[in-house]
Amino acid sequence: MLENPEMAEDERILATPTLIKSLPLPLRRVIGDLSDKDKVLLGLEVQPKPLKSADNGVAS
Amino acid sequence: MNDGANNLAVEKIATGISSFDIIAKGGLPRNRTTLISGTAGSGKTIFAVQFLAAGIELGFPGVFVTFEESASDIRKNMRSFGWDLAKWEAEGLLAFVDASPDPEIDSVESGGFDLGALLARVKHAVKKVKAERVAVDSLGAVFSQFSDQSIVRSELFRIASALKSIGVTAVLTAERTDDYGHIARFGVEEFIADNVMILRNVLEDESRRRTIEILKFRGCDHQKGEYPFTIVPDGGVIVIPLSAMQLSMKSSNVRISSGNEQLDAMCGGGLFRDSVTLVSGATGTGKTLTVTQFLQGGAKNGERCLLLAFEESRDQLFRNATGWGFDFEEMEAAGMLRVVCDYPDVSGLEDWLVTIQATIREFKPQRVALDSLSALEHVGTAKAFREFVIGLTSFIKHEEITGLFTSTTASLMGGDSITETHISTLTDSIILLRYVEMFGDMRRGLTVLKMRGSWHDKAIREFTIDKGGMKMGRPFRNVTGILAGAPVHVSPGDVERAWSQLDKDSEIPRRDSGSPAVGEDGADIERRRIFPPASD
């Protein structure tokens, strides 16, 4: 960021650190040091792998 | 706090915002941050953009950091003020740091963070355009973008200190919920408190009144209290610095004609240039006629005249003038007269003041007449009205213009109006027009109540109106109580006795008695020429 502020400008980033998930859509951002694991997973829309994973995580 | 090697007093930079520099006594403190706090709609963003726009016009590039509106919205909204932000961006005089929330981007917080990226972007933008000025709008919006307020607070403090250290002068806006209450939401003033300004937009008697107040400038001087301001297209914020304007008023001894020779004589030789005269009277006593004469007198002497009419339509005014033998149309065609006719309610008093000032600057009249102040009285609060009159009188005096204002009294007979009590001390001369009831007739009387710095006729004279204007007659010598609104007739014998007593006391030769004076001198002959004996 400090070396390349243009990139922060283009991506409209305010906070550091910021993790950007650009693919698959939708775009998601996770701000912070990722210490809160649940929030990270929620932010990235990633579900913990169910034991028997046939469905794609709709079930909770 | 360490200000480096600078051990001088805090330096200020002229912002370039109309009249703001007057109340700030020079401008904003250089290399410091100033908090601008205000309720929604109080003009914070406009002030912030204007701070940059005025700087760019003076040759100082700027950076605008927005947390609230998107950069494209700001570019669009500020067009109406005549600021072409996109052009300045293309010329490298302005850079945006767009930190407004993007509805497309969904983000969550997971643990500790800082706003290092934002700071890097601001620093980069400042470096890119070599900015001297930075505006941040608004701090409160940063808090709503993040859930951890304590981090935001400490990070904003870090950014504010960084702005100071990179040598820019910055304004930061903040919201407040009340026009009179806590300085700002989220307590931002606690960490960016070098300088605090408050913009207010108060609803009083169904009308909005904007004021600006400099609460503190750490280490330097400023005017105190609330100053009215207005926001106009093609100009943005215009502050009306009342106390500061009065200081520079001049005064001259040049006399000009009121347009009526007899009235001039009663005023001791005419009105003073750069003086303001108030003509007060009930409806139909001849106020508009006095105004018409005043304008005619000016045009005859080759002076440009401006008429601000709030009571009658243009056609009515022109027809009236024709009835009295004056040709407004010809005066207007010759460029000697301009008539501004409008309903007083179309804008607030602050806006009127700014509009009138702009018209005066453009037309450059030597005479300004306003008919009537009473019509404007109801547009705003008593305080706003008084400020309007102060602002207008000091402005026209400063421009060395002669002013004539009228005011309508509420009662037909005598009495005074709220207008007068508010403004009589602000005007240099007061002419009263009154109805006098005499044996079933309504007559008109005129007296010069006050003429600052000059002798004037103390008599209450009867006057008639015919084609050609006002004709003064004899003083009402045997009537007393006219001004109080209760005329009482006194027998001629009592009048003689009273006057001889007064003359003996004051040793001043009595003038204008009904009977011819004993040894007439030149002055008396002149007086008899100007005031021929009444023919009734």
Side-chain angles (χ1 to χ4, degrees):
Chain A
M1 277 317 152
L2 298 179
E3 280 167 24
N4 197 354
E6 291 278 3
M7 205 183 93
E9 189 64 51
D10 294 342
E11 292 290 341
R12 301 181 57 168
I13 296 169
L14 304 185
T16 37
T18 296
L19 175 67
I20 302 179
K21 174 183 79 87
S22 41
L23 279 172
L25 289 171
L27 219 59
R28 279 295 172 131
R29 290 183 176 200
V30 180
I31 292 164
D33 57 13
L34 310 180
S35 57
D36 187 338
K37 200 177 281 172
D38 291 346
K39 283 251 178 94
V40 175
L41 296 176
L42 182 76
L44 294 177
E45 289 188 326
V46 184
Q47 303 292 331
K49 203 172 182 182
L51 295 171
K52 295 267 173 158
S53 71
D55 52 6
N56 51 2
V58 178
S60 54
Chain B
M1 230 175 258
N2 183 16
D3 268 353
N6 184 7
N7 51 9
L8 295 167
V10 179
E11 210 185 327
K12 285 185 181 170
I13 58 159
T15 58
I17 298 173
S18 312
S19 308
F20 171 76
D21 293 338
I22 297 174
I23 66 160
K25 291 201 174 165
L28 291 176
R30 185 190 287 276
N31 294 352
R32 294 209 167 177
T33 52
T34 301
L35 183 73
I36 302 170
S37 189
T39 50
S42 57
K44 300 183 296 292
T45 306
I46 297 168
F47 191 95
V49 175
Q50 192 171 0
F51 170 67
L52 297 184
I56 288 167
E57 274 157 11
L58 294 169
F60 304 113
V63 166
F64 195 91
V65 184
T66 173
F67 291 110
E68 213 164 3
E69 291 175 84
S70 70
S72 62
D73 278 353
I74 292 176
R75 282 185 203 110
K76 206 181 298 164
N77 296 343
M78 296 302 151
R79 266 291 173 75
S80 59
F81 296 106
W83 302 320
D84 193 344
L85 304 186
K87 184 180 132 241
W88 288 330
E89 282 177 275
E91 290 169 356
L93 295 168
L94 176 72
F96 266 104
V97 173
D98 190 344
S100 58
D102 187 339
E104 307 263 297
I105 299 173
D106 231 354
S107 51
V108 287
E109 282 165 45
S110 67
F113 65 94
D114 62 32
L115 296 180
L118 173 67
L119 183 56
R121 286 166 68 185
V122 174
K123 280 183 170 172
H124 174 69
V126 166
K127 214 160 105 189
K128 196 171 73 184
V129 297
K130 298 188 180 65
E132 306 247 350
R133 298 180 180 200
V134 173
V136 179
D137 182 56
S138 70
L139 296 178
V142 189
F143 285 92
S144 60
Q145 288 191 35
F146 299 98
S147 58
D148 193 330
Q149 298 205 347
S150 63
I151 293 183
V152 174
R153 187 182 299 266
S154 62
E155 285 302 295
L156 285 177
F157 179 62
R158 193 157 73 101
I159 291 171
S161 339
L163 286 174
K164 238 173 170 178
S165 68
I166 56 178
V168 293
T169 307
V171 297
L172 305 102
T173 68
E175 300 77 18
R176 58 203 308 242
T177 43
D178 272 311
D179 276 313
Y180 295 93
H182 289 295
I183 292 177
R185 286 177 71 194
F186 307 109
V188 286
E189 77 279 5
E190 286 161 25
F191 54 88
I192 316 169
D194 270 357
N195 313 302
V196 178
M197 279 168 32
I198 293 177
L199 303 181
R200 291 191 177 91
N201 186 22
V202 186
L203 187 63
E204 277 175 43
D205 293 344
E206 301 184 1
S207 59
R208 286 277 172 193
R209 197 176 119 81
R210 295 180 186 280
T211 61
I212 183 167
E213 179 187 10
I214 298 172
L215 199 65
K216 68 168 178 181
F217 270 5
R218 194 170 274 174
C220 44
D221 198 16
H222 58 86
Q223 301 274 356
K224 284 151 194 83
E226 290 181 42
Y227 287 83
F229 76 93
T230 180
I231 296 173
V232 296
D234 291 321
V237 171
I238 295 181
V239 181
I240 300 160
L242 296 174
S243 61
M245 280 197 294
Q246 279 182 303
L247 299 172
S248 56
M249 275 173 355
K250 290 177 228 161
S251 180
S252 86
N253 286 322
V254 181
R255 300 259 192 175
I256 61 152
S257 169
S258 68
N260 182 311
E261 196 188 8
Q262 293 173 323
L263 185 57
D264 288 346
M266 288 180 73
C267 293
L271 306 170
F272 285 114
R273 187 181 295 284
D274 64 48
S275 76
V276 171
T277 304
L278 180 70
V279 179
S280 154
T283 175
T285 41
K287 295 187 301 295
T288 306
L289 171 60
T290 315
V291 165
T292 308
Q293 289 183 153
F294 173 72
L295 298 173
Q296 160 77 13
K300 211 168 68 187
N301 288 344
E303 296 174 28
R304 271 192 303 281
C305 304
L306 176 67
L307 171 59
L308 307 160
F310 296 105
E311 284 197 338
E312 286 170 286
S313 75
R314 213 185 130 79
D315 287 352
Q316 258 177 316
L317 284 164
F318 280 53
R319 196 184 57 214
N320 292 346
T322 313
W324 294 315
F326 306 120
D327 194 347
F328 269 9
E329 256 161 66
E330 189 193 300
M331 282 161 67
E332 204 176 38
M336 302 312 291
L337 176 71
R338 180 176 293 185
V339 181
V340 175
C341 255
D342 222 329
Y343 281 111
D345 304 274
V346 295
S347 64
L349 285 173
E350 289 84 7
D351 289 1
W352 270 123
L353 182 58
V354 171
T355 314
I356 291 170
Q357 286 180 346
T359 312
I360 289 174
R361 278 202 197 94
E362 188 239 325
F363 184 58
K364 294 188 174 48
Q366 277 96 40
R367 294 186 182 206
V368 173
L370 196 158
D371 189 29
S372 71
L373 276 179
S374 310
L376 287 169
E377 196 180 303
H378 309 289
V379 177
T381 57
K383 188 162 189 289
F385 179 67
R386 191 179 158 79
E387 283 165 354
F388 168 81
V389 178
I390 294 175
L392 187 59
T393 46
S394 51
F395 178 76
I396 72 173
K397 282 183 186 192
H398 186 253
E399 300 285 307
E400 294 179 48
I401 295 169
T402 318
L404 187 86
F405 302 162
T406 67
S407 108
T408 310
T409 50
S411 57
L412 275 186
M413 308 287 291
D416 58 358
S417 69
I418 303 160
T419 315
E420 280 163 56
T421 35
H422 271 86
I423 64 173
S424 53
T425 51
L426 303 172
T427 58
D428 302 291
S429 316
I430 298 178
I431 295 170
L432 297 184
L433 305 175
R434 290 287 185 264
Y435 283 120
V436 184
E437 188 191 335
M438 282 181 79
F439 308 113
D441 263 1
M442 270 300 208
R443 312 262 185 130
R444 292 185 177 94
L446 179 151
T447 187
V448 180
L449 190 68
K450 163 170 132 177
M451 183 81 197
R452 200 172 272 169
S454 166
W455 174 91
H456 61 89
D457 193 346
K458 313 292 191 285
I460 304 174
R461 283 180 183 279
E462 179 170 8
F463 72 93
T464 52
I465 299 173
D466 60 14
K467 205 166 167 64
M470 221 177 233
K471 295 276 180 300
M472 304 296 167
R474 297 158 55 156
F476 290 100
R477 276 290 179 243
N478 54 345
V479 185
T480 183
I482 295 171
L483 293 186
V488 174
H489 299 272
V490 187
S491 73
D494 286 345
V495 176
E496 283 300 315
R497 257 198 306 283
W499 270 101
S500 61
Q501 190 60 42
L502 286 170
D503 286 350
K504 215 185 291 163
D505 291 349
S506 61
E507 304 262 319
I508 292 171
R510 177 172 147 203
R511 296 187 176 270
D512 293 323
S513 67
S515 54
V518 193
E520 269 185 9
D521 58 7
D524 281 332
I525 293 167
E526 175 67 9
R527 187 169 297 277
R528 289 180 73 78
R529 185 187 72 75
I530 295 174
F531 299 108
S535 54
D536 56 347

